Amino acid sequence: MTLRDGEQTPGVVFTRKDKVDIALKLDEARVHRIEAGMPVVSEEDKLAVRDIAKQASFSRIFSFCRVRKEDVDVAVECGVSSVVMEIPALPERLRVMGMTVESAARSAVETIEYAKSRGLFVVFFPYDTTRTDFEAIKKMVKAGDEAHADRIAVVDTVGGASPEGFRHLVSKVREITKVPLEVHCHNTLSLGVANTIMGLCEGAMAAHVAVNGIGEGAGNVALEELVVGMKLLYGKDLGVDLKKLREVSFLVEKYSGIPLPVNKPVFGKNLFRRESGIVVERYYKMPEVARELELFDPAWFAGETEVVLGKKSGKYSVLYALRKRGLNATDEQVKEVLDEVKAMSIAKRGFLSEEELDQIIGNTLGKKS
């Protein structure tokens, strides 16, 4: 959803070229499917969706549409094989549109059948499912069944569900339909990944995600977090190329203008950045063991552990830095370097750059004894 729901982040605008670049990199990473955009939004979006549908070689390309036949026609013009078709399930949202649950369900049946007649794979997306009473949900699910939708999405639009609650809802929906389910969650309470995994554990066949978790409000479920979480915690390798996925992350960061937080799960720089002396001691004495003690290997993403020096450093931090530079020092020189490092770190309120560390080491080791 990076290119559609992700772009709904306030202030984010992807150009046609941006979208194609991101999509083709996702395709290289062997992401199973790409929601290329909503082509009725603008001519630029329409052209981007068309370009992506033509150029992608691995991923299945979807467009996003409303329960309107004209949206379906535009999707077909773009050359996509599949659509995600949205309409609210929540009666309060439908009232704003001048509709009832019953009239919305009838419109859904008609439009899904039309999309199917045009050869499209249809994911029916009755959104705000988690805040909708179950009678309304049943009417919407029945519409998807009746129209022979290929999938039905269970949608936590505002990110207000608990993992247990979301799993229960997916279970209840599964009881009333044989159509395979998908899950779409948001991260308002930082539970998006947990809710998505619970939905998958309950039998959902697909999850809606976005690179770097971009999206409205607190964002969508981060693609990279779900892929790594499923691999590590559930032993499910989804076949996504993690090195290529890291490249996509950089690209989305660049084009969206949203910097990745250093403490961001999976891709944040601090995940494999070490300052604490007690931790660096392991990397100095037994680097292989130290790497094995990490949750996962930064080499998965073509990365490596970074040791930085600052206020929390210790003797072995200095020894690590010296060995990296091919230098030796006396115990007194190590202590002097450490004292200078701590003083500078406190003064600048951060860890030292490589240049600052080089200067301290050079000044200390260059002194005559």
Side-chain angles (χ1 to χ4, degrees):
M1 304 186 298
T2 310
L3 302 178
R4 197 275 306 171
D5 213 349
E7 194 189 22
Q8 287 181 205
T9 306
V12 171
V13 176
F14 292 135
T15 67
R16 176 181 177 183
K17 179 182 180 300
D18 294 344
K19 291 193 172 192
V20 173
D21 287 350
I22 292 168
L24 294 183
K25 189 62 73 174
L26 284 166
D27 191 61
E28 284 181 35
R30 301 182 71 80
V31 170
H32 308 149
R33 73 191 217 191
I34 298 168
E35 191 178 298
M38 190 172 184
V40 297
V41 167
S42 71
E43 185 65 19
E44 176 106 341
D45 285 87
K46 180 179 177 180
L47 293 172
V49 173
R50 187 191 65 186
D51 291 346
I52 293 165
K54 282 184 178 179
Q55 297 179 46
S57 60
F58 176 82
S59 307
R60 186 171 197 160
I61 306 304
F62 285 68
S63 74
F64 195 79
C65 71
R66 298 162 295 181
V67 174
R68 294 187 183 181
K69 290 182 180 179
E70 56 267 34
D71 285 24
V72 173
D73 291 336
V74 175
V76 172
E77 288 173 26
C78 289
V80 300
S81 64
S82 313
V83 293
V84 176
M85 185 181 294
E86 71 155 1
I87 195 165
L90 189 68
E92 289 82 356
R93 287 187 184 270
L94 288 167
R95 277 203 293 273
V96 175
M97 300 167 63
M99 302 180 79
T100 64
V101 172
E102 291 75 18
S103 65
R106 287 194 298 271
S107 294
V109 170
E110 185 178 343
T111 311
I112 294 168
E113 287 179 340
Y114 179 69
K116 295 293 293 179
S117 75
R118 304 226 47 191
L120 294 171
F121 180 99
V122 179
V123 177
F124 182 42
F125 190 86
Y127 66 90
D128 220 343
T129 325
T130 52
R131 295 195 297 175
T132 302
D133 69 87
F134 202 66
E135 287 304 309
I137 291 172
K138 285 197 289 187
K139 290 174 183 176
M140 284 299 189
V141 170
K142 183 180 177 183
D145 270 336
E146 185 179 329
H148 304 292
D150 298 280
R151 300 276 178 88
I152 297 173
V154 180
V155 188
D156 186 18
T157 301
V158 297
S162 68
E164 298 85 354
F166 192 70
R167 181 169 190 166
H168 177 71
L169 178 59
V170 173
S171 172
K172 294 293 288 182
V173 174
R174 280 191 69 203
E175 290 175 3
I176 61 173
T177 182
K178 292 183 179 179
V179 177
L181 302 182
E182 301 189 354
V183 290
H184 177 113
C185 299
H186 284 259
N187 213 32
T188 311
L189 298 175
S190 199
L191 293 171
V193 174
N195 289 343
T196 297
I197 289 175
M198 287 297 95
L200 294 173
C201 287
E202 197 52 48
M205 301 295 292
H208 298 190
V209 292
V211 176
N212 296 348
I214 64 171
E216 283 188 287
N220 292 294
V221 172
L223 167 59
E224 61 278 6
E225 293 175 27
L226 184 63
V227 169
V228 174
M230 292 299 291
K231 180 181 177 72
L232 281 173
L233 305 178
Y234 295 86
K236 300 291 185 182
D237 187 339
L238 301 180
V240 176
D241 185 323
L242 296 176
K243 291 183 176 67
K244 291 291 185 183
L245 194 56
R246 187 68 178 110
E247 294 175 17
V248 185
S249 172
F250 286 132
L251 202 59
V252 170
E253 184 177 23
K254 174 184 174 183
Y255 287 160
S256 69
I258 301 174
L260 210 62
V262 294
N263 63 340
K264 167 79 168 58
V266 178
F267 282 162
K269 289 182 179 179
N270 278 359
L271 261 73
F272 296 104
R273 178 184 278 160
R274 301 290 176 257
E275 180 184 345
S276 173
I278 195 169
V279 176
V280 177
E281 181 178 359
R282 294 199 297 267
Y283 276 94
Y284 179 76
K285 292 180 175 179
M286 305 177 74
E288 290 303 319
V289 173
R291 278 191 288 272
E292 288 173 4
L293 290 172
E294 300 288 1
L295 183 59
F296 52 91
D297 190 342
W300 286 8
F301 313 113
E304 59 182 4
T305 301
E306 177 189 10
V307 171
V308 297
L309 274 73
K311 176 186 173 183
K312 284 85 72 179
S313 295
K315 175 180 73 173
Y316 288 101
S317 305
V318 176
L319 291 173
Y320 183 97
L322 291 170
R323 184 166 68 188
K324 180 180 174 183
R325 291 163 171 76
L327 300 172
N328 294 302
T330 65
D331 289 346
E332 292 77 9
Q333 287 172 324
V334 168
K335 183 179 184 307
E336 186 174 341
V337 169
L338 183 59
D339 289 343
E340 290 290 329
V341 164
K342 287 177 178 286
M344 180 177 285
S345 176
I346 291 168
K348 68 178 290 189
R349 299 171 68 91
F351 60 78
L352 277 62
S353 68
E354 288 294 298
E355 293 74 20
E356 290 168 334
L357 184 56
D358 284 338
Q359 185 176 3
I360 289 174
I361 291 173
N363 290 342
T364 303
L365 270 59
K367 291 179 182 177
K368 293 183 180 178
S369 49

